[in-house]
Amino acid sequence: MRPFQSSEHKPTCTNNTSYRMLGTLTDAEDAMQETFVRLTRVGADGIEDVEGWLVTVAGRVCLDMLRASATRRRYVGPWLPEPLIDQFASAPDPADQVTLDDTIRIALLAVLHTLSPAERVAFVLHDVFGLTFQAISEIVGRSPAAPRKLASRARAVIRDDSEPRFDVTGAQAESVAERFAAACAGGDIADLVAVLAPDVVGEFDSGGRIAGAPQSAQVGSELVSIVLADSLFGAGADFRVADVNGRPGVVVSLRGQVMAVIDLETEGHLVRALRAIGNPEKLAHLTR
């Protein structure tokens, strides 16, 4: 067996697996470190399938972290994942890129966050990475039949999610994002209302760190525009269209510091849903 090389297996263990389950790069990095510590203790020479071993152990580590976080204090306001910005265009090392597919979009990761830790682990490891239910049963510590039921329940939650999906081309989505960014930069609420669907849904993740930030979803173009205006207009901020978890979104910066990242769900020429992540803890990696 060839010697183990961490760069070869890092994307599967951390970026692909842990980020989808945990929703933050910081936690995913912690999970990676713990996984490789365990590999060092065991030694790679005696492992037939190192990559499979890493995914399995990463699943166990993430499950422990998810269970621990479930016992902590309740999150203030909507929870959204830590965003990935320009991950697919500018990462210097392909091994550091997250595979571009639908399972990293902000909306799906937010739905996964509502699942139990075991449901989330079963869904990600089986439906995304193809682990057998037998292998997953060993990770979650249940009978072989349990992971099948866990994954089925997870699929039902995802399928029944009330927010619709809209199929648009990359060029269409980028055009809407540019109009949205221009309206924000111009500071005109009427221009912003014009790019939002009348029944647009807006979620604002501040983690309770931003005074006045809504703690529930806001519905309607005028209401969402007022929230955005109160938070972002008049500060001289820069609004840049960027790749946000694999789709066009907007990064808001002030004097080189990222203030917010806005994920956009578009249909035709309008924004149908937006998710603004302003919790400083979830944006710290962008400044680094």
Side-chain angles (χ1 to χ4, degrees):
M1 178 178 176
R2 64 187 175 187
F4 167 75
Q5 297 178 1
S6 63
S7 62
E8 178 182 355
H9 301 286
K10 179 181 176 182
T12 298
C13 178
T14 303
N15 290 345
N16 287 356
T17 309
S18 302
Y19 176 73
R20 285 167 173 81
M21 285 190 281
L22 300 173
T24 75
L25 292 174
T26 302
D27 288 342
E29 289 169 0
D30 289 344
M32 177 200 71
Q33 294 298 329
E34 175 61 23
T35 299
F36 280 100
V37 165
R38 297 187 186 187
L39 179 65
T40 301
R41 291 172 183 163
V42 173
D45 290 341
I47 301 174
E48 182 177 351
D49 179 4
V50 176
E51 185 169 344
W53 187 94
L54 287 170
V55 172
T56 299
V57 174
R60 293 193 182 111
V61 172
C62 290
L63 181 60
D64 290 342
M65 295 175 68
L66 288 169
R67 285 171 172 166
S69 65
T71 65
R72 298 172 189 167
R73 65 180 179 84
R74 188 169 178 267
Y75 195 81
V76 178
W79 182 95
L80 296 173
E82 196 170 284
L84 300 174
I85 305 301
D86 296 328
Q87 184 79 6
F88 313 105
S90 62
D93 182 354
D96 289 330
Q97 296 184 26
V98 176
T99 302
L100 176 57
D101 62 44
D102 198 50
T103 65
I104 62 147
R105 66 187 182 90
I106 295 288
L108 178 58
L109 293 175
V111 174
L112 291 181
H113 185 73
T114 67
L115 303 175
S116 73
E119 288 170 344
R120 198 180 326 181
V121 168
F123 172 80
V124 172
L125 292 183
H126 180 268
D127 286 39
V128 180
F129 293 98
L131 263 68
T132 65
F133 288 125
Q134 176 64 42
I136 298 171
S137 71
E138 298 175 5
I139 294 173
V140 299
R142 303 191 187 185
S143 67
R148 189 182 302 275
K149 294 179 181 178
L150 291 169
S152 178
R153 287 201 296 266
R155 290 187 211 106
V157 172
I158 294 168
R159 184 174 56 249
D160 295 340
D161 181 38
S162 59
E163 183 175 303
R165 290 293 314 282
F166 305 102
D167 294 323
V168 296
T169 66
Q172 284 178 315
E174 186 171 1
S175 175
V176 176
E178 289 174 348
R179 290 176 55 219
F180 176 86
C184 290
D188 191 311
I189 288 184
D191 289 342
L192 188 54
V193 169
V195 76
L196 302 178
D199 58 349
V200 64
V201 177
E203 290 185 292
F204 304 87
D205 179 346
S206 71
R209 302 280 299 276
I210 301 176
Q215 295 187 13
S216 61
Q218 306 295 294
V219 180
S221 56
E222 292 189 2
L223 181 56
V224 171
S225 295
I226 290 172
V227 173
L228 290 170
D230 289 343
S231 304
L232 304 174
F233 286 8
D238 174 69
F239 297 84
R240 175 177 71 89
V241 174
D243 187 310
V244 178
N245 284 58
R247 68 175 65 224
V250 174
V251 176
V252 185
S253 303
L254 181 64
R255 295 186 289 275
Q257 184 85 14
V258 177
M259 298 172 55
V261 173
I262 304 175
D263 172 70
L264 301 174
E265 189 96 33
T266 63
E267 180 186 29
H269 302 293
L270 298 175
V271 174
R272 295 301 303 266
L274 66 85
R275 302 167 194 85
I277 303 164
N279 185 343
E281 293 181 358
K282 295 184 178 181
L283 304 176
H285 68 286
L286 300 177
T287 300
R288 292 197 304 267

